[in-house]
Amino acid sequence: MKATIGIITSGLLLSGTVAIGQEDECFVDGSNFDVCEYAKRLQEESALELPMTVSSDLIMDAVVAAGPEVTFGVRWTSNWEQLQAKMVLNNKDLEALSEELQRNADNAVCSSKVMRAFVTLGGRIAYAYRSSDGFNFFTARVAECEAL
C-alpha cells in the first residue's frame, strides 16, 4: 500500500499543472500532428522499461505525460544530506550540479533519434531529479535541439 501511494504521489508531483488552453500546445503551427497524443504514447512505451538503472547513482523510476511534455522521474541513490556531502567533496554547489544535469539532459534528448524528433515537433522532455529521501532538487527541461 505504501509503495502504491509513493508511486501515485510521484506521478502527481511530476505531472504538475495542466494549463488551460493546453490543446493549443498540442498542434504546432496549425498542423494536424497531435504532439500531446505522441507524448502519451512515448510515456506508455517508456513506462514499460522502468525502473531503469541509469548509473550507479541514478535510477529512472517514473514517467508522466502532461500535454506536450514527458517528464521522467530520476531518483538519486543517496539521500539529500549524502548528496550535499558529495557535492562538497567534489567542490560543486547545487547550481553547478544543476548545470551538469541540464547538459546531460540536452545531450541525451538531442542524441536520441526518437526524442529529438519529438522535441523538433513541439514536444518537451523533462527529467525531475530527487534524492532517495524524496527531496526534489532540480528539473532539467529540453524544448529544443541545436541544428547539427
Side-chain angles (χ1 to χ4, degrees), residues 15-26 36 66-68 124:
S15 66
T17 57
V18 177
I20 296 172
Q22 170 186 310
E23 60 278 353
D24 296 339
E25 287 186 295
C26 295
C36 296
R124 295 185 303 270

Side-chain angles (χ1 to χ4, degrees), residues 13-132:
L13 287 173
L14 292 175
S15 66
T17 57
V18 177
I20 296 172
Q22 170 186 310
E23 60 278 353
D24 296 339
E25 287 186 295
C26 295
F27 297 95
V28 180
D29 297 329
S31 75
N32 290 335
F33 181 77
D34 186 346
V35 71
C36 296
E37 187 59 38
Y38 190 82
K40 287 180 202 170
R41 284 198 347 235
L42 183 58
Q43 180 266 326
E44 290 168 358
E45 292 171 12
S46 298
L48 299 174
E49 304 295 323
L50 301 179
M52 178 190 303
T53 301
V54 178
S55 71
S56 60
D57 293 325
L58 299 170
I59 298 168
M60 190 177 298
D61 60 0
V63 60
V64 176
E69 185 166 285
V70 177
T71 302
F72 293 91
V74 184
R75 180 174 37 90
W76 222 269
T77 57
S78 304
N79 66 33
W80 181 239
E81 188 176 314
Q82 293 166 330
L83 237 157
Q84 289 177 307
K86 285 180 185 180
M87 284 189 285
V88 169
L89 206 62
N90 292 311
N91 293 319
K92 285 186 181 177
D93 58 9
L94 184 55
E95 183 179 348
L97 177 61
S98 298
E99 288 172 1
E100 181 181 331
L101 293 172
Q102 183 65 56
R103 276 191 309 277
N104 291 345
D106 290 339
N107 290 335
V109 170
C110 297
S111 64
S112 163
K113 205 174 193 179
V114 171
M115 288 197 196
R116 183 183 185 94
F118 175 66
V119 167
T120 301
L121 292 168
R124 295 185 303 270
I125 301 288
Y127 296 93
Y129 292 92
R130 69 188 185 288
S131 59
S132 65

